[in-house]
Amino acid sequence: MPSYTIPSSVLIVGSGVFGLSTAWALTQRPEYADTKITVVDNASACGGEFPPLDSASVDSSRIIRADYADPHYAALAAVAQAEWRRQGDDELGGQGRYSESGLLLTADHPAATTTTTTKQGKLTGMDYTKESWRNVARIAREAGHPPDKVRILESAQALKEHLGTPGRPGDWGYLNTLSGWADAGEGMRWQYRRVKATGRVEFVDAHVAELVTEGNRVVGAKLASGGVLRAELVFVAAGAWTGALIDVRGRVEATGHVVAYVDITPEERDVLARQPVVLNLTSGLFFIPPRDTVLKVARHSFGYLNPVAVPRALPPSPAAAAAQRRDGGRPIADADLRRAFRDLVPLRGLEDRPWRETRLCWYADTRDGDWLVDYHPGWEGLFVATGDSGHGYKFLPVLGDKVLDCIERRGGELGDKWKWKHVPEGDTVGRETNGRFRGLITEDGSRGGYPGMILEDELARKAEAKL
């Protein structure tokens, strides 16, 4: 393993959860006192505000949970939760940035026929839910919490009665009262303010067009304006946009996940604010309690693929020919989201209410749900942190330290999980073959819905429905 030397300068491309948390970690370690730290992101389209409002990390709410089937993520999330629970005005969870409403995690029994989501060797949504329950029950027990903090609801009827819904929330589930949700936008702004207050980090509002190389080394980033930002270490934390800068085909895929909002009355808000977060891992549908008179529902699924050629992504190595990648988009999955009101929400009439707003939340997905946090094997001076598969935000208070440990080549077990994975020769994932695009699918049991959906096809069906 190569030795590690403190870089004289670090350029962070992206001011989302990976970028900001790592910038903070760099300012907190004395050995980086003389390191120049720069964060570049395209904030001009959002009024010049950092982090940009179109960042996946910036939203009205995100689930904060240790409810993972993988014990490593469950343990790390439990550490992060301790920070979220700090309620001082200047602390992460203060001023309404975190609410411990509880989380009801549920799933449906697998269908009798074998599908992509139940193929041999892969977890189903029910498998994932039960493994999550085992992990969080153990974590709660070891922390000294009473047994009723995590309790099973072992039938569809028990779930319906607990939630007061007429639909079918799932076939089996559990309520973890130690989980909750965060105001994601406010949490990111809190993180930005404290990074900015150190006086150690320069923020540059610009669009990065491509990475700059000299020989076998990445030395900076070329901006759309033509200018170049240079650094000894270039750290790409661009989320779903990573594929526009680096060829990560077969490893990371940008997938779009539908989110929608409806207006509710103060009376409806008061009812729903007493509910837990509800997430069905078979359908992917979830609902987060509101703080104001806007209710959010969404679908954590396999997501939409939107193939678009990207001509300037960094190839796998200096010797490799430039390749093409596909990304981008914006659809509506109306019927599925309205089903969330019937199955998960204890108020009638919301399923017919007009949408206040709809959007896509872009994930950077990997095949196994493990993140990609590692040095690029084909280029010197390039570190990549992406592929959080929609799960990175809840780790905000601890993520930067773990990423910086990996930069210092001492990432431990997590660093081993997050290493750059080999893609077999001839693998067609993330590529178009014979006119058909085969997208990456996350198969860790945490996704519901329908794999392989193409955004262009969905939009075409939507347009036909209006004719």
Side-chain angles (χ1 to χ4, degrees):
M1 179 184 296
S3 60
Y4 178 72
T5 303
I6 300 295
S8 61
S9 55
V10 177
L11 173 62
I12 300 174
V13 180
S15 63
V17 64
F18 276 109
L20 275 184
S21 62
T22 305
W24 171 255
L26 286 165
T27 68
Q28 299 306 294
R29 296 193 185 180
E31 56 267 37
Y32 294 90
D34 296 326
T35 298
K36 180 183 178 182
I37 308 165
T38 304
V39 175
V40 59
D41 207 340
N42 185 14
S44 57
C46 303
E49 179 179 341
F50 279 93
L53 296 178
D54 61 358
S55 168
S57 306
V58 178
D59 193 8
S60 60
S61 54
R62 282 288 186 275
I63 302 172
I64 305 298
R65 60 181 172 104
D67 303 75
Y68 282 91
D70 185 304
H72 293 92
Y73 294 110
L76 184 61
V79 175
Q81 280 184 312
E83 296 301 315
W84 281 108
R85 293 187 182 113
R86 297 181 184 275
Q87 298 289 300
D89 285 350
D90 295 330
E91 294 175 309
L92 178 56
Q95 297 185 327
R97 287 183 286 269
Y98 174 65
S99 300
E100 197 148 284
S101 61
L103 165 68
L104 198 159
L105 195 66
T106 180
D108 303 336
H109 292 308
T113 56
T114 300
T115 68
T116 301
T117 58
T118 59
K119 66 174 64 171
Q120 187 176 6
K122 304 296 183 183
L123 293 180
T124 66
M126 184 63 77
D127 293 332
Y128 191 104
T129 301
K130 290 189 175 182
E131 285 299 318
S132 295
W133 164 68
R134 293 184 184 97
N135 283 332
V136 294
R138 174 183 49 78
I139 289 170
R141 183 173 60 253
E142 291 174 352
H145 293 293
D148 63 353
K149 287 292 184 179
V150 181
R151 57 184 184 272
I152 293 174
L153 295 164
E154 56 189 14
S155 68
Q157 187 61 33
L159 290 163
K160 287 178 63 172
E161 290 175 359
H162 184 85
L163 293 174
T165 63
R168 191 179 183 85
D171 293 320
W172 187 94
Y174 69 90
L175 176 65
N176 180 4
T177 63
L178 300 170
S179 291
W181 64 277
D183 184 324
E186 287 303 317
M188 289 298 292
R189 285 184 279 273
W190 174 87
Q191 181 75 312
Y192 167 71
R193 288 194 298 270
R194 72 173 187 159
V195 171
K196 187 73 172 175
T198 66
R200 292 284 325 285
V201 180
E202 179 186 2
F203 285 85
V204 177
D205 178 4
H207 172 66
V208 173
E210 60 184 319
L211 300 180
V212 178
T213 63
E214 292 179 357
N216 64 349
R217 188 173 189 87
V218 175
V219 297
K222 184 177 181 180
L223 309 180
S225 63
V228 174
L229 297 174
R230 298 177 68 91
E232 185 177 351
L233 177 64
V234 176
F235 171 34
V236 174
W241 291 102
T242 301
L245 299 174
I246 304 167
D247 185 348
V248 288
R249 288 175 298 177
R251 296 181 176 87
V252 181
E253 186 81 60
T255 62
H257 301 258
V258 289
V259 182
Y261 307 82
V262 295
D263 290 316
I264 57 176
T265 67
E267 293 75 19
E268 291 169 332
R269 175 202 60 204
D270 292 344
V271 171
L272 297 175
R274 296 192 293 269
Q275 295 289 107
V277 176
V278 186
L279 168 59
N280 181 304
L281 285 176
T282 302
S283 67
L285 297 173
F286 68 91
F287 135 79
I288 296 178
R291 179 171 293 119
D292 54 20
T293 55
V294 178
L295 177 64
K296 170 184 173 178
V297 292
R299 186 178 66 190
H300 175 74
S301 64
F302 292 102
Y304 288 105
L305 306 170
N306 191 31
V308 175
V310 177
R312 293 193 287 186
L314 192 70
S317 69
Q324 289 187 334
R325 174 135 171 41
R326 301 189 157 211
D327 273 320
R330 185 180 258 281
I332 301 174
D334 190 274
D336 224 14
L337 291 178
R338 293 190 183 281
R339 181 160 64 92
F341 290 125
R342 183 183 69 249
D343 289 350
L344 310 180
V345 179
L347 292 176
R348 303 284 53 81
L350 297 180
E351 60 271 23
D352 299 320
R353 197 163 294 181
W355 299 121
R356 171 195 178 97
E357 177 189 355
T358 59
R359 60 178 290 193
L360 280 185
C361 179
W362 284 100
Y363 291 5
D365 278 346
T366 65
R367 300 190 201 210
D368 54 11
D370 283 336
W371 306 348
L372 173 56
V373 182
D374 198 6
Y375 284 94
H376 195 293
W379 296 92
E380 294 181 8
L382 176 60
F383 192 89
V384 183
T386 187
D388 69 326
S389 300
H391 295 293
Y393 182 82
K394 63 180 62 65
F395 299 96
L396 175 64
V398 297
L399 184 56
D401 273 326
K402 298 301 180 183
V403 171
L404 188 48
D405 286 347
C406 292
I407 290 175
E408 295 180 351
R409 303 185 188 278
R410 53 185 187 88
E413 289 185 319
L414 285 172
D416 290 340
K417 289 174 73 68
W418 296 342
K419 283 189 178 300
W420 195 275
K421 292 183 173 66
H422 173 69
V423 174
E425 187 73 25
D427 186 85
T428 60
V429 171
R431 290 171 165 78
E432 187 174 284
T433 304
N434 297 325
R436 182 172 179 80
F437 179 71
R438 183 186 174 208
L440 180 151
I441 296 173
T442 300
E443 295 182 306
D444 66 349
S446 71
R447 303 303 176 88
Y450 318 98
M453 296 183 296
I454 301 295
L455 179 59
E456 185 178 6
D457 296 342
E458 174 80 356
L459 294 176
R461 284 192 293 269
K462 180 173 178 282
E464 290 173 2
K466 290 184 175 181
L467 296 178

